[in-house]
Amino acid sequence: MDSIFNYKLEELEDFFESIGEKKFKARQIFEWIYKKHIYDFYEMSNISKTLQEKLNNTFSTNLLTIKTKQSSKLTNKYLFELEDGNLIEAVLMRHDYGNSICVSSQVGCNMGCTFCESGRLKKVRNLSAADIVRQIIMIQEDIDERIDSIVVMGIGEPFDNYDNVMKMVRIVNSPYGIEIGARHITISTSGLIPMIEKYANEDLQTNLAISLHAPNDELRSKLMPVNRAYPLKDLMKAIKSYIDKTNRRVTIEYLLLKDVNDTEECAIELSKLLKGLNVYVNLIPYNETSHIEYKTSPNKNVMKFYDLLKKNKINVTVRMKFGDEIDAACGQLRANEVNKL
Ligand code: SAH
Ligand code: SF4
C-alpha cells in the first residue's frame, strides 16, 4: 500500500477526482495530516465514513520507528527504522533562528567519499519522498515544536535520488502541508553536474550547497571519487551558471581535515577558485570517525584558513560545532549500529 506521505497535493487531488470525489478533499486531508497532526483517517471528522474506509484501504499512514535517540543541549540525533528494517538518521539542531532538521535521502551512499561514514556503507536503496517527509514529522511530533528549516545533508546523495527529493520538497513546502518556506530548504550535493543544471531550472526558491572540500582536482579526487566524473573546472562552471540563472547565493561546504586540505596553500587556492562568485563558504570542523587516517583540523589551522579567506574577500563562516559529543556527523549513528550487527 502506498504511503499517504508520498503524495503531493495535486496528486491527491487527481486521486479524488479519479474516484468521483471533489478535489478539495485533498486539501482537507493535507490539513488533517500536516496541520492538525492526525494520521488516522477514521479521526478525520469532515470525511464521510465510506470515504474514510476507502482511504484506509488505499493509503498507509505508518510513521517511522525511533530506534535510538541521543540528545544534547542543542541537538537531538535520531536513528529511525523504516518498514523494511533499514536504518536512517536525522538530526534536529536548535539555532537561535529556529529549529532546523538535517534529513537523510538514501540508505547508504554510492559516492564513496573517503572521509565519510555514509559512503562506507554502500547505497541499499533510495528513500521515497514519504521516507523523508516522515523524518520531519517524527521529529516534529517528538519535540512538539514547529520545524523552521530543512537541510538535506544526512545520509545519501540527494541528487542521486533527485525525483523523490524534489517531491518531498513540494510536499513540505505546500501551504497546506508542513509549510516550510522554500528559502528555508537547502539541498547539499557532492557535485552531480547534470542534476545541478536540472535544479537550476526548477521554479523553486530553495537553496543549493556544494560539498567542495578541496581547491584542486588532485586533492578533490582523492577525497571524493565523484570528482573524476565531474572535475572542478566543470563543477565551477555549473555553479556559476546556477547562480546566473537563479540569482541565488550558493553555499560551499569545506570540511577541514588536518594537514590534508587545511593548509595556507589550500586557503589561497580556494580563494582564487571562488573569487567573484556569489557564494559563501561554510568551514566544517571534521568529526572524527572510524576513518582513522583523517583528523580534525586544530583550531589554529581553522582560524588561519578563515582569516586567509576573509583577507581575500570571500564570505566565510565556521560551522558551529554541534553536539560533537554525540556522534554528530550524519552517518555515524547508523554506522555504529550496522557495525554491531
Ligand atoms: N551527499 C551530500 C549530502 C550529505 S553529506 C553531500 O556530500 O553534500 C553532508 C555533508 O556532511 C557533506 O558536506 C559531507 O562532506 C559532510 N560530512 C561527511 N562526513 C563528515 C564528518 N565526519 N564530519 C563532518 N562533516 C562530514
Ligand atoms: Fe555520500 Fe555526501 Fe558522504 Fe560523499 S559526503 S559519501 S556524497 S553522503
Side-chain angles (χ1 to χ4, degrees):
M1 217 190 286
D2 201 3
S3 170
I4 191 74
F5 303 106
N6 254 333
Y7 280 73
K8 292 192 287 189
L9 185 67
E10 308 80 73
E11 291 171 334
L12 210 51
E13 286 174 348
D14 290 348
F15 164 77
F16 279 111
E17 283 192 320
S18 77
I19 58 166
E21 292 280 348
K22 292 271 185 299
K23 69 179 200 179
F24 72 82
K25 292 247 160 30
R27 255 186 274 155
Q28 294 180 328
I29 301 294
F30 252 57
E31 282 171 349
W32 278 113
I33 290 176
Y34 296 111
K35 302 283 193 212
K36 299 179 194 156
H37 308 189
I38 298 292
Y39 308 109
D40 179 348
F41 293 118
Y42 292 110
E43 286 179 37
M44 301 180 181
S45 52
N46 55 2
I47 306 290
S48 71
K49 278 267 158 312
T50 34
L51 193 50
Q52 286 175 348
E53 200 152 298
K54 172 134 202 135
L55 290 168
N56 199 54
N57 292 334
T58 311
F59 301 108
S60 121
T61 55
N62 290 343
L63 293 172
L64 306 175
T65 313
I66 299 181
K67 182 115 172 135
T68 61
K69 172 181 158 187
Q70 296 181 359
S71 303
S72 61
K73 218 163 87 202
L74 295 172
T75 60
N76 284 355
K77 179 134 197 172
Y78 298 85
L79 186 69
F80 293 120
E81 186 171 345
L82 302 165
E83 285 101 328
D84 61 5
N86 276 308
L87 301 173
I88 49 167
E89 294 175 38
V91 185
L92 164 79
M93 294 162 286
R94 296 175 191 278
H95 299 276
D96 42 14
Y97 54 82
N99 291 324
S100 170
I101 298 184
C102 171
V103 293
S104 294
S105 57
Q106 298 179 312
V107 180
C109 182
N110 275 347
M111 298 300 130
C113 301
T114 53
F115 50 81
C116 178
E117 282 301 325
S118 308
R120 203 186 270 278
L121 303 162
K122 286 277 156 257
K123 176 171 94 176
V124 177
R125 70 168 171 89
N126 281 330
L127 294 186
S128 64
D131 293 333
I132 311 176
V133 170
R134 289 183 299 171
Q135 296 171 51
I136 304 165
I137 288 182
M138 290 300 294
I139 295 180
Q140 201 174 265
E141 290 289 319
D142 187 52
I143 63 171
D144 200 18
E145 289 171 40
R146 189 179 153 73
I147 305 304
D148 304 285
S149 58
I150 303 290
V151 294
V152 188
M153 285 189 192
I155 300 170
E157 168 48 56
F159 280 178
D160 182 38
N161 184 18
Y162 189 87
D163 292 344
N164 292 349
V165 168
M166 293 317 291
K167 188 177 216 194
M168 173 280 291
V169 168
R170 309 265 175 197
I171 294 169
V172 303
N173 178 235
S174 165
Y176 301 98
I178 304 177
E179 207 177 352
I180 296 172
R183 287 163 197 271
H184 299 270
I185 300 174
T186 302
I187 301 180
S188 172
T189 179
S190 57
L192 302 184
I193 292 176
M195 295 301 134
I196 297 173
E197 288 164 356
K198 197 164 176 190
Y199 190 56
N201 288 312
E202 298 279 350
D203 59 345
L204 272 170
Q205 300 286 308
T206 47
N207 305 300
L208 174 67
I210 304 281
S211 291
L212 203 67
H213 307 328
N216 60 61
D217 279 322
E218 195 192 344
L219 187 52
R220 194 163 192 270
S221 294
K222 262 189 218 151
L223 299 175
M224 307 178 71
V226 66
N227 191 66
R228 291 182 207 130
Y230 300 114
L232 263 180
K233 190 158 73 55
D234 299 337
L235 179 58
M236 295 315 296
K237 232 192 262 167
I239 295 172
K240 188 169 181 324
S241 78
Y242 173 90
I243 295 170
D244 289 346
K245 198 162 274 169
T246 61
N247 241 331
R248 302 193 63 73
R249 184 158 79 164
V250 168
T251 303
I252 301 290
E253 295 163 280
Y254 195 101
L255 201 56
L256 286 166
L257 305 164
K258 180 170 183 269
D259 301 332
V260 175
N261 65 355
D262 68 343
T263 60
E264 286 182 37
E265 295 77 50
C266 282
I268 291 164
E269 208 175 353
L270 183 63
S271 305
K272 284 193 184 135
L273 189 70
L274 301 178
K275 192 138 217 100
L277 277 180
N278 185 18
V279 295
Y280 90 87
V281 178
N282 198 358
L283 296 176
I284 309 171
Y286 182 61
N287 261 296
E288 287 178 18
T289 66
S290 51
H291 297 261
I292 42 168
E293 64 273 35
Y294 297 117
K295 294 270 174 258
T296 308
S297 198
N299 257 342
K300 70 170 187 353
N301 295 21
V302 175
M303 285 331 291
K304 186 164 246 168
F305 204 94
Y306 174 89
D307 287 340
L308 276 168
L309 291 188
K310 271 251 150 168
K311 217 174 96 194
N312 285 293
K313 307 222 163 18
I314 305 292
N315 295 315
V316 56
T317 54
V318 179
R319 182 186 286 177
M320 207 168 119
K321 225 171 181 250
F322 264 120
D324 40 2
E325 75 276 25
I326 57 159
D327 293 339
C330 243
Q332 288 181 300
L333 262 193
R334 173 169 174 262
N336 289 345
E337 198 70 21
V338 173
N339 289 341
K340 267 193 252 159
L341 303 177

